[in-house]
Structure formats: structure tokens, C-alpha cells
Amino acid sequence: MMKNKTLTLDALCVRKGKQSLISVDTEVAPGTITTIMGPSGIGKSLLLAAIAGVLPEAFTYSGAVYYDGAELTSLPAHKRQLGILFQDPLLFEHMNVVQNIMFGMSKNESSKLSRTNALLDEVGLKGYGQKAVQALSGGQQARVALLRTLASSPRAVLLDEPFSKLDMQTRQQTRRWVFDTIRHQGVPCIMVTHDKADAHDAQGRVITVAHSEKEKDQQC
């Protein structure tokens, strides 16, 4: 039984000043996707930032994050080894498509170029490897960013509206590929989305966060 490699949020709560924004207590098993849904402004993206160790200084958090039973919250972001993808691709503009994807791969990984080209082919970007990322459409940039995140073989994956900038056809194809890859790699994943179709295709637990102002004060 795969009890290890579980991502655990132990009463993780994000605050701004004295105001509680969002609190989640859950375990995400290897190869499963837990979806967090709720209105804009409630702090879903901030929750992912707290998990990844990149929470802006204006916010604080309580609780803890564990991976495989080891606490991550005391570690800096780069030592947590979590793959996080925000709504904006945040690609390196001084690198072409292939270089962006290979950047996240292990330094001693062999056949980086062939693997990268195979990944591009899987998401409909065959032949795009040498293009400048600025020359890509928003949807194409989103797919490259997804590839870079997954190619880094992270311990866990955090997705913030990862398909929101894709057209409907590309969205369905890319979403299927991402979820299949996460399950195949056996990594836990937490996804924030407004799209019920994303949650449905994830086939995992759905956590809905929606609190009144009064409830926020009592939340954590």
C-alpha cells in the first residue's frame, strides 16, 4: 500500500493581518488530484504559495505541510522540490522553448533533447523547440510552462488555473495529458480552478471554500 509520498496539509491557514482567508486540512495521495474551488479573492492561490514556500510578505500562515511524513514548512522554497504553475506562464524569455523545458530537468538526466521533443509532440507543439517563447500564443506558452513543471519530476504538483488560457479543444487535450502524466508519475497534486470540468476530469476530491466575513474570523 502506497502510504508514502503523500502530501499533507495539516490545518494550513493563510491570514492577512488578523483576518483568516482560507484554511485547508487534507491528505493528497500519490497519483491523485485534489481540487480546491471557491470565489475569487478568497485566497486559493495564496494557499498554493504557502505550500510552495513563496507566500508574499504581506501574508502569514499557520499549520504545516508534510511530504512523505517529513515537514516542509521549515524549508526554503527551492528545497521543497514542489512543482508550482501559476496562471501566468512565467517563461524565461532569454531561452527558447526547448531550453525552457530542459531547465527543469535533472542535470545528469540523459537524452534531455529527445525527451523534450517527445513531450512537445504530446501536447501538439512538434517542431516548436527552437522558437522564442515570445513568438508563441498565450495557449502555447501555457503548454510549455506545464511541460517545464512536469519535466522537473517534482515531489508534488501545484496547479493554479493551469488551463484557463487554452481554447476549448486544446484545453481538453492538455488537461487529459497533464492528469494522465500526474497519475503515471505517481505524484500528489493540488489544483485550484473555477472550471467544474477541470474538477470532474481530475477524478479526485473536491474541496469547496466559500466563507462569509464572520466565518473568516473564526476559521483558524
Side-chain angles (χ1 to χ4, degrees):
M1 186 172 75
M2 294 186 69
K3 192 175 180 181
N4 62 343
K5 298 184 179 180
T6 294
L7 181 67
T8 302
L9 308 187
D10 183 9
L12 188 66
C13 176
V14 177
R15 298 184 180 88
K16 185 174 184 180
K18 295 182 178 180
Q19 183 187 36
S20 298
L21 298 177
I22 186 172
S23 179
V24 174
D25 190 272
T26 192
E27 289 189 350
V28 186
T32 67
I33 301 109
T34 292
T35 302
I36 298 177
M37 303 187 74
S40 298
I42 204 169
K44 301 186 301 298
S45 297
L46 292 169
L47 182 78
L48 296 187
I51 297 169
V54 293
L55 189 67
E57 292 184 0
F59 301 90
T60 59
Y61 70 88
S62 60
V65 180
Y66 295 89
Y67 174 79
D68 195 12
E71 186 175 356
L72 299 184
T73 33
S74 60
L75 299 177
H78 69 280
K79 290 190 176 182
R80 299 189 187 193
Q81 295 179 261
L82 304 179
I84 184 167
L85 183 68
F86 291 111
Q87 295 180 41
D88 295 322
L90 301 178
L91 298 172
F92 302 121
E93 294 189 352
H94 64 289
M95 297 181 181
N96 63 24
V97 170
V98 162
Q99 291 168 335
N100 263 276
I101 297 170
M102 291 196 304
F103 180 84
M105 293 181 178
S106 171
K107 290 182 179 180
N108 57 6
E109 184 170 349
S110 61
S111 305
K112 287 185 179 182
L113 182 58
S114 61
R115 184 187 172 202
T116 299
N117 286 329
L119 291 172
L120 287 169
D121 193 15
E122 288 181 18
V123 295
L125 293 177
K126 183 177 182 178
Y128 281 70
Q130 301 305 313
K131 288 184 177 291
V133 294
Q134 302 95 314
L136 304 182
S137 68
Q140 290 168 341
Q141 289 186 11
R143 278 179 276 173
V144 172
L146 282 165
L147 291 178
R148 185 179 64 184
T149 298
L150 294 172
S152 67
S153 299
R155 290 173 167 177
V157 176
L158 309 174
L159 302 175
D160 187 358
E161 300 281 359
F163 316 114
S164 61
K165 295 188 176 180
L166 304 179
D167 61 70
M168 185 59 66
Q169 182 177 357
T170 304
R171 184 176 188 138
Q172 293 174 345
Q173 176 187 1
T174 305
R175 180 168 56 205
R176 189 181 308 114
W177 176 81
V178 169
F179 292 163
D180 286 347
T181 301
I182 287 170
R183 296 184 187 107
H184 177 72
Q185 291 185 355
V187 296
C189 174
I190 296 178
M191 174 177 63
V192 163
T193 184
H194 287 93
D195 191 332
K196 292 181 179 179
D198 290 349
H200 178 270
D201 285 1
Q203 300 176 12
R205 183 184 180 190
V206 178
I207 299 173
T208 302
V209 286
H211 301 282
S212 67
E213 291 301 316
K214 182 178 180 181
E215 288 172 330
K216 284 180 183 177
D217 294 336
Q218 299 173 349
Q219 190 179 342
C220 55

